[in-house]
Amino acid sequence: VGDDVSRLPAENFLRLEAQGALARVTSDEEIKAWWPTMGAANYANGAGGLRAAGKLYLYLNSGEVIKRADAALDYVRRPELVRGELGDYLLPEGNDVTVNIACSLAGGTGSGMFLTIAKLLRAKLQQDADQICAYFLLPDIFNSKPGLNKYAEINTYAALLELEAAMDTLVVGESERFRFGTFSQAIK
């Protein structure tokens, strides 16, 4: 990896802000349902290794996240893209979409929001053939940085338990109601 690696444009990133986060924790009933009992913390640079803080960032920014997800899915479904008229990209026959999620399960940000993001995207995907693939970094990736996150193994275990529970409740062909902030939709 060197200087020749192309970088994604800034508009491909979304900084999740936590303005008024702690006030919302005490006043929003939906947040209270999943927020752990703990003292206030400073989340200026990420979720501080706390999974609930990662989910809170997503919740507080859900409107913008949904807007960006809609825009990205609208873009990849454009007929010109399917026909190969917009450069090197070409969707396979049938216009099926695969969404890739990549994150670490060791910290608070990725491990706290990956499942909610996956459910949100599943609700947004239009066709049964559309799919979501996830790629997770496990805590050993951070072994060379001792003390980085004292919750790394705990977060990973909790995230995998959450994923297993979600998959255990999945029945092919049936749908569940996914609600997050003001967004509510049935998903398969």
Side-chain angles (χ1 to χ4, degrees):
V1 179
D3 292 334
D4 62 339
V5 176
S6 62
R7 300 194 187 276
L8 291 172
E11 63 269 11
N12 287 353
F13 293 91
L14 174 61
R15 180 170 173 77
L16 300 179
E17 301 291 337
Q19 295 276 329
L22 295 178
R24 289 287 300 274
V25 167
T26 58
S27 65
D28 188 305
E29 292 303 317
E30 188 174 345
I31 295 173
K32 283 187 202 179
W34 48 261
W35 186 259
T37 305
M38 65 174 76
N42 178 10
Y43 306 116
N45 294 310
L50 302 173
R51 296 180 69 240
K55 186 172 182 175
L56 178 64
Y57 285 1
L58 180 61
Y59 184 87
L60 295 176
N61 295 274
S62 60
E64 185 63 24
V65 170
I66 290 167
K67 182 174 132 187
R68 294 278 190 102
D70 285 341
L73 291 171
D74 287 347
Y75 177 79
V76 299
R77 292 208 188 276
R78 292 173 62 190
E80 314 87 87
L81 188 63
V82 175
R83 291 191 304 263
E85 296 171 3
L86 296 177
D88 298 332
Y89 306 107
L90 181 64
L91 289 179
E93 191 67 34
N95 203 12
D96 302 333
V97 173
T98 299
V99 176
N100 294 291
I101 297 174
C103 67
S104 164
L105 297 183
T109 305
S111 67
M113 64 174 72
F114 81 92
L115 191 55
T116 304
I117 288 282
K119 287 182 175 185
L120 171 67
L121 291 169
R122 184 72 244 166
K124 295 288 183 179
L125 293 172
Q126 301 166 354
Q127 300 169 183
D128 288 340
D130 292 341
Q131 61 183 342
I132 299 172
C133 296
Y135 304 90
F136 299 126
L137 297 174
L138 300 176
D140 62 334
I141 195 83
F142 301 107
N143 283 348
S144 65
K145 301 182 186 301
L148 186 65
N149 178 1
K150 63 183 178 180
Y151 304 114
E153 287 83 13
I154 295 167
N155 285 343
T156 302
Y157 182 66
L160 291 173
L161 284 176
E162 187 178 24
L163 177 61
E164 180 183 30
M167 294 186 72
D168 283 348
T169 61
L170 180 66
V171 177
V172 177
E174 292 191 13
S175 63
E176 69 173 284
R177 170 86 25 209
F178 172 65
R179 183 176 173 275
F180 194 69
T182 58
F183 180 80
S184 179
Q185 186 169 330
I187 58 172
K188 289 184 189 180

